[in-house]
Amino acid sequence: MSQGNYTPRREHKFTFGLWTVGNRGRDPFGDAVRPTLTPVEAVRMLGELGAYGVNFHDNDLVPIDASPQDRDRIVNEFRSACEENGIAVPMATVNLFYDPVFRDGAFTANDKSVRAYALQKTMRAMDLGVECGAKIFVLWGGREGVETDGCRRPDEAVKRLREALNYLCEYSLDQKYVYKFALEAKPNEPRADIYMPTTGAYLALIATLDRPEMVGVNPEVAHEHMAGLNMTHSVAQAWEAGKLFHIDLNDQIPGRYDQDLRFGSANPKAAFWLVKFLEDVGYSGPRHFDAHAYRTEDYDGVKEFASGCMRTYLIFKEKSEQWNADPEIKALLAEISETSGDGRGTKFNSQHASELLSANFDRAGLAARGLKYERLDQLTMDILLGVR
Ligand SMILES: [Mn+2]
């Protein structure tokens, strides 16, 4: 039952993007509601709240038009702030969506010069990440998509994306960087349709790259839910393939615009299964919150939001331990696993196949048994709702 200690500690590996706690509440219909939070202030806040690390897009830290001198000064100040506040930088990424140059996409844009600029900007962002200690590089192609499929053949876009990823892997190796790339899918927004709409689509693309071992995925709760999918299933497939290099935790009501809500706040049951999966399999990467506070909030509210993300994760972590230790749940699971095998199936050989072909199954008998999943799920609900 509840130990009541949900204080985040460094070893929980909770991370936030500069763009998350620094989100100023701008949306397509209204302007910023909060003043600018500088990167140094964000790092201080995260240190205070017990986070493990901070992540950034190149331009969250260094403005796109900064002079080389300004860049170096900003990076030095930021690195000192991280050191003073005990904040790591596990992941870096690149903004290939904000500037008007990317209106037709970045790696998939029709203009060769735009594609080359996107590569240059990404290589520089990789350099910047390395300076701050990042070992994971996330790529989210927010503008890699279309409003009209008249503009290019979609298979051409796939080829351009592959070419860019191959190039960036070689750059990383050439520079002796140790980056693992984590590709982040989203079905739409800001484009009407984005290529690589789901984590599954990226997993299929990765297998076709020159250096597939360097590239994995960064599934995001909101993005998978926008596509109507089960986030835990997407994460499980990535994990099983050895490709869960990073994760973006937040929440999302299905069928809406990208909401980036506080983790677990929209669909706590789905969030519980996700946390339980990550903890059960022993995922050891950062637990990154890619979310932001309601537009109604000031920076005290932003702190409530960030603390809430971590607190909810830790509550679900405790609930999943409780679930695993519950005697009635354990008994039900033992009953289920007796009949369901170990999930690995049977390896083919021709003798086994001929025996299987001639075997007699009691089909009606097999079908007759109730499975008690209603009871199992209600026990889960009792745990989640705090009455068990
Ligand atoms: Mn994200």
Side-chain angles (χ1 to χ4, degrees):
M1 293 304 281
S2 176
Q3 297 152 14
N5 182 9
Y6 308 117
T7 309
R9 295 190 305 270
R10 300 289 193 253
E11 66 260 32
H12 294 132
K13 293 222 175 149
F14 292 132
T15 64
F16 290 84
L18 282 181
W19 69 96
T20 65
V21 288
N23 180 288
R24 298 180 59 206
R26 200 179 275 118
D27 70 21
F29 301 96
D31 210 345
V33 294
R34 290 183 282 269
T36 300
L37 188 74
T38 67
V40 168
E41 288 168 334
V43 166
R44 222 172 275 149
M45 183 195 287
L46 292 175
E48 213 179 283
L49 297 176
Y52 162 77
V54 67
N55 308 310
F56 55 81
H57 303 87
D58 49 352
N59 303 137
D60 298 337
L61 184 58
V62 181
I64 195 164
D65 50 4
S67 69
Q69 293 82 353
D70 283 345
R71 176 206 184 275
D72 291 347
R73 180 184 47 78
I74 292 167
V75 173
N76 285 336
E77 281 174 11
F78 177 73
R79 287 176 55 181
S80 312
C82 287
E83 214 163 288
E84 277 163 32
N85 292 278
I87 291 290
V89 179
M91 177 271 265
T93 181
V94 60
N95 187 324
L96 298 176
F97 44 87
Y98 191 83
D99 194 88
V101 71
F102 301 123
R103 65 205 296 173
D104 185 40
F107 301 144
T108 64
N110 284 340
D111 188 326
K112 235 182 180 167
S113 302
V114 172
R115 300 206 296 274
Y117 173 64
L119 275 181
Q120 181 202 62
K121 192 170 190 291
T122 305
M123 291 188 288
R124 288 180 176 171
M126 289 166 63
D127 299 344
L128 177 63
V130 164
E131 273 180 68
C132 298
K135 295 190 168 58
I136 302 164
F137 199 87
V138 164
L139 284 166
W140 173 60
R143 297 280 170 195
E144 315 289 14
V146 294
E147 284 71 43
T148 170
D149 279 317
C151 69
R152 72 183 72 85
R153 264 175 54 170
D155 58 336
E156 179 61 27
V158 176
K159 289 183 206 310
R160 289 176 189 170
L161 200 50
R162 180 185 298 115
E163 194 178 83
L165 292 168
N166 285 338
Y167 193 100
L168 294 169
C169 285
E170 294 307 323
Y171 178 69
S172 186
L173 292 171
D174 195 54
Q175 295 295 308
K176 311 248 177 324
Y177 294 162
V178 296
Y179 274 127
K180 294 268 191 191
F181 293 91
L183 310 180
E184 179 174 336
K186 187 178 180 183
N188 60 273
E189 197 189 1
R191 300 310 295 266
D193 287 290
I194 299 179
Y195 304 122
M196 303 294 139
T198 63
T199 295
Y202 265 134
L203 287 171
L205 178 73
I206 289 166
T208 72
L209 299 177
D210 290 346
R211 309 254 186 202
E213 70 284 356
M214 292 176 67
V215 187
V217 290
N218 177 41
E220 171 166 327
V221 177
H223 296 177
E224 298 294 312
H225 286 189
M226 284 173 77
L229 300 178
N230 180 320
M231 170 68 170
T232 303
H233 293 189
S234 299
V235 166
Q237 192 185 357
W239 173 262
E240 202 274 337
K243 292 296 182 191
L244 189 64
F245 290 0
H246 200 259
I247 191 164
D248 275 3
L249 303 171
N250 57 14
D251 217 342
Q252 170 77 25
I253 300 171
R256 313 248 166 122
Y257 64 94
D258 185 11
Q259 295 175 308
D260 282 340
L261 295 167
R262 189 178 74 256
F263 179 61
S265 63
N267 192 343
K269 192 178 175 190
F272 166 72
W273 292 126
L274 177 60
V275 171
K276 181 170 153 25
F277 180 83
L278 294 173
E279 296 299 322
D280 282 352
V281 299
Y283 169 74
S284 62
R287 275 79 171 156
H288 176 236
F289 297 105
D290 185 2
H292 52 73
Y294 302 149
R295 194 166 180 268
T296 49
E297 303 309 292
D298 59 13
Y299 279 108
D300 286 334
V302 171
K303 287 184 196 174
E304 286 293 333
F305 145 81
S307 297
C309 286
M310 297 187 282
R311 181 177 172 83
T312 297
Y313 188 101
L314 292 174
I315 293 170
F316 284 145
K317 183 174 186 287
E318 187 188 86
K319 297 275 181 196
S320 71
E321 285 158 15
Q322 188 192 344
W323 196 97
N324 287 338
D326 188 287
E328 192 175 346
I329 290 177
K330 275 164 96 171
L332 282 171
L333 292 180
E335 221 179 302
I336 294 161
S337 57
E338 245 174 58
T339 54
S340 69
D342 65 358
R344 279 168 221 284
T346 308
K347 218 169 173 139
F348 178 88
N349 65 54
S350 42
Q351 193 202 329
H352 186 276
S354 70
E355 283 167 16
L356 184 55
L357 283 167
S358 58
N360 285 314
F361 288 100
D362 176 14
R363 183 171 50 83
L366 287 170
R369 194 166 147 257
L371 297 176
K372 302 186 185 168
Y373 293 175
E374 284 284 2
R375 179 68 189 153
L376 180 63
D377 196 72
Q378 188 57 43
L379 289 169
T380 305
M381 292 308 297
D382 282 5
I383 288 174
L384 292 184
L385 295 174
V387 298
R388 187 170 172 86

